[in-house]
């Protein structure tokens, strides 16, 4: 590349390729130029556009290990960083989560759990460590007796405002996603409210916010990511990192659902919202990932 | 095969091949006879000899997932079953542990953690779930400040006889093996006794036994497996399942160390002990794995 990078070409070539194709492009680039494509992009691109392209071009487990590490390095008492870890643990396949933990160990000098422990304070730490260590069964096998019993355990913990109770951590961190959805349905049927509403009514601290994100990421990740995008756009200024993460990491998973959810909640299209809050190559790249023609 | 299985040939062919070679033999067998070698062995062999050969021929992650499942199905209030799970979590590589969890999900209709939760009672359950979910950093990176601080936390929990304290579970379930060895060294230096001795002096319940096995499996697995073999042999009758598990699963990992440890503790050679307590093809097979000539 060099002087005069052709951003449009990058957007067109990389933005429209799926994960397998991008991997092939990276391999071919390495063979042809004896240089890593990621490094080349890093030296040529900058700003939000550069970050988005590099995340999109990285291998997903490495990408998410880096996102988790960045979140942990800039850990604040806010939900914005914490939810990156929750997403990883609850909104991806068990296989992907394990691959991210392996990538994390390769890239950084310790395990993901160790970095969580040294950055997050109790009680949130306990929830996060319990979640990232999960390897959930990934087929639809559910047991309605378990759902009844565990809905009752969750209800009891919420009533007692003990959101970090051992039972809560074990249930949310070991059961398969289908079982948990059934448990949440049982909860609603037996106790009247959605479980996330009852969690919210426990208080407005970080723990409550984290638990709500956990429940959403398990029950309907599209709801969570539509909310991440909305929150990144509303108000003064844009939270580009969150916007990029949501679009880049979900483009190939559930963007159609997120788009629908976004429209239902905000009565405006996801595309219009992104166009209104971004500009230049960054905007063009996100729109390409969203499937719009340039 | 059929009538007149040649056990000596099986011992010779399979017993002297390493893991990679056994995998090749299995693949070739499948191609030649359009039948799985494991199934063929299952239909022809029986008893302790059959079990040992089949374990030795199985893929290690699948072998250990089956051993864990058997232990959980025949869960008693004794250390014999429980230690199978502890060994998995503490005496193998992080990569192997994850592969076992994946194999467990594929073979049985739930995750390993879920089966532990439904079979083990508190407080042992808490320790086991915390351990099997680990994915430890696997290189030698240690921090002496962490060792000091965490030796103190472990000491405090032991003093208070709270062996299932959250800190104990977090430390033993997330730190890398090298770090934990340093922490145990610090413990000895600062508080006088080996940590396993202090754990034992807390009481003689299952929890204390489990913690002792955890510490041994982390600090010197050869000590633990030498003890498993000794315990399987002493007294009236032999615990063949434990004897087989220890020899089959460690033959390619640390049998030389186990043999040395066995001799140091028992003043008799491991080989003589096995010869004295086993017979026939089973004896011949174990001796082959131990490296003796037939």
């Amino acid at each position: 590349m060099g002087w005069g990078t052709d951003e449009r070409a990058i957007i067109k070539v990389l933005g429209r390729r799926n994960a397998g194709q991008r991997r092939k492009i990276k391999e071919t680039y390495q063979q042809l130029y004896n240089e890593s494509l990621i490094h080349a992009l890093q030296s040529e691109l900058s700003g939000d556009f550069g970050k988005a392209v590099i995340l999109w071009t990285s291998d997903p487990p490495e990408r998410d290990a880096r996102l988790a590490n960045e979140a942990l390095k800039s850990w604040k008492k806010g939900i914005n960083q914490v939810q990156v870890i929750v997403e990883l643990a609850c909104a991806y396949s068990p296989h992907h989560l394990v691959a991210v933990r392996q990538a994390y160990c390769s890239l950084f000098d310790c395990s993901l759990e160790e970095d969580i422990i040294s950055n997050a304070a109790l009680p949130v730490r306990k929830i996060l460590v319990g979640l990232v260590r999960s390897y959930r069964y990934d087929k639809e096998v559910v047991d309605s007796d378990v759902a009844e019993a565990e809905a009752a355990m969750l209800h009891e913990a919420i009533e007692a405002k003990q959101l970090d109770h051992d039972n809560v951590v074990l249930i949310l961190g070991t059961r398969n996603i289908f079982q948990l959805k059934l448990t949440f349905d049982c909860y609603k049927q037996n106790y009247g409210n959605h479980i996330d509403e009852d969690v919210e009514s426990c208080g407005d601290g970080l723990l409550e916010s984290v638990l709500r994100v956990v429940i959403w990421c398990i029950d309907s990740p599209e709801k969570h990511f539509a909310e991440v995008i909305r929150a990144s756009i509303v108000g003064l200024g844009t939270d580009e990192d969150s916007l990029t993460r949501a679009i880049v990491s979900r483009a190939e998973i559930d963007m159609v659902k997120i788009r629908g959810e976004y429209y239902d909640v905000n009565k405006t299209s996801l595309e219009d919202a992104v166009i209104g809050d971004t500009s230049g190559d960054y905007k063009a790249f996100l729109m390409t990932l969203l499937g719009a023609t340039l």
Side-chain angles (χ1 to χ4, degrees), chain A:
Chain A
M1 296 188 203
W3 184 81
T5 307
D6 185 350
E7 281 84 1
R8 290 270 135 176
I10 292 177
I11 294 170
K12 254 184 147 169
V13 171
L14 289 172
R16 292 177 179 173
R17 298 297 179 277
N18 68 30
Q21 293 169 328
R22 299 198 297 281
R23 200 168 44 239
K24 284 237 168 92
I25 291 174
K26 268 190 292 181
E27 288 166 9
T28 309
Y29 191 95
Q30 177 74 42
Q31 284 164 6
L32 282 176
Y33 305 108
N34 201 23
E35 185 194 1
S36 136
L37 175 57
I38 300 279
H39 287 161
L41 293 170
Q42 277 167 339
S43 69
E44 292 296 327
L45 306 179
S46 61
D48 298 317
F49 173 60
K51 274 196 207 173
V53 171
I54 288 160
L55 282 180
W56 177 247
T57 312
S58 303
D59 284 328
E62 193 176 319
R63 173 196 75 201
D64 288 344
R66 290 192 190 280
L67 285 173
N69 184 257
E70 260 172 47
L72 288 163
K73 279 192 306 190
S74 58
W75 202 257
K76 293 169 205 149
K77 272 198 134 186
I79 187 69
N80 265 8
Q81 316 302 316
V82 184
Q83 68 188 359
V84 177
I85 310 292
V86 176
E87 289 166 7
L88 247 182
C90 303
Y92 289 89
S93 73
H95 182 78
H96 181 72
L97 174 57
V98 163
V100 173
R101 291 172 77 190
Q102 293 174 326
Y104 201 98
C105 282
S106 309
L107 291 169
F108 311 105
D109 256 0
C110 66
S111 67
L112 174 59
E113 301 89 283
E114 286 177 293
D115 266 353
I116 292 173
I117 292 170
S118 48
N119 286 289
L122 286 172
V124 169
R125 179 171 87 182
K126 183 172 170 185
I127 304 275
L128 295 182
V129 172
L131 291 174
V132 298
R133 307 176 81 205
S134 67
Y135 185 80
R136 305 177 194 280
Y137 183 66
D138 67 346
K139 289 181 203 73
E140 188 163 354
V141 172
V142 297
D143 181 324
S144 55
D145 290 343
V146 168
E148 289 283 343
E150 299 192 344
M153 287 183 195
L154 294 173
H155 187 250
E156 201 178 322
I158 291 170
E159 287 274 283
K161 301 204 178 202
Q162 293 190 319
L163 296 185
D164 66 334
H165 191 285
D166 284 356
N167 286 339
V168 175
V169 179
L170 270 192
I171 293 168
L172 297 178
T174 58
R175 292 302 184 191
N176 77 59
I177 296 296
F178 306 97
Q179 176 68 49
L180 285 171
K181 287 183 184 192
L182 184 63
T183 300
F184 297 160
D185 287 347
C186 268
Y187 187 100
K188 168 97 171 76
Q189 215 155 24
N190 295 349
Y191 308 107
N193 292 324
H194 280 293
I195 182 168
D196 59 322
E197 294 164 350
D198 280 356
V199 164
E200 262 191 288
S201 68
C202 281
D204 58 357
L206 184 61
L207 180 61
E208 288 81 11
S209 306
V210 169
L211 250 292
R212 216 207 46 172
V213 173
V214 171
I215 293 163
W216 283 29
C217 281
I218 289 169
D219 204 34
S220 40
E222 68 276 11
K223 254 170 116 174
H224 166 73
F225 284 101
E227 169 60 20
V228 168
I229 296 174
R230 193 200 60 82
S232 74
I233 283 174
V234 292
L236 267 179
T238 306
D239 174 0
E240 283 85 2
D241 285 349
S242 299
L243 180 62
T244 302
R245 185 184 83 248
I247 293 180
V248 165
S249 64
R250 305 306 287 194
E252 289 167 296
I253 299 182
D254 53 3
M255 195 45 78
V256 173
K257 279 187 180 177
I258 295 174
R259 188 184 278 123
E261 178 69 27
Y262 193 92
Y263 189 81
D264 287 349
V265 172
N266 304 290
K267 304 301 167 218
T268 168
S269 83
L270 179 56
E271 281 76 5
D272 288 347
V274 172
I275 289 171
D277 255 57
T278 58
S279 63
D281 296 323
Y282 179 54
K283 173 167 84 177
F285 186 63
L286 293 188
M287 293 311 289
T288 304
L289 299 191
L290 290 174
T293 30
L294 285 172

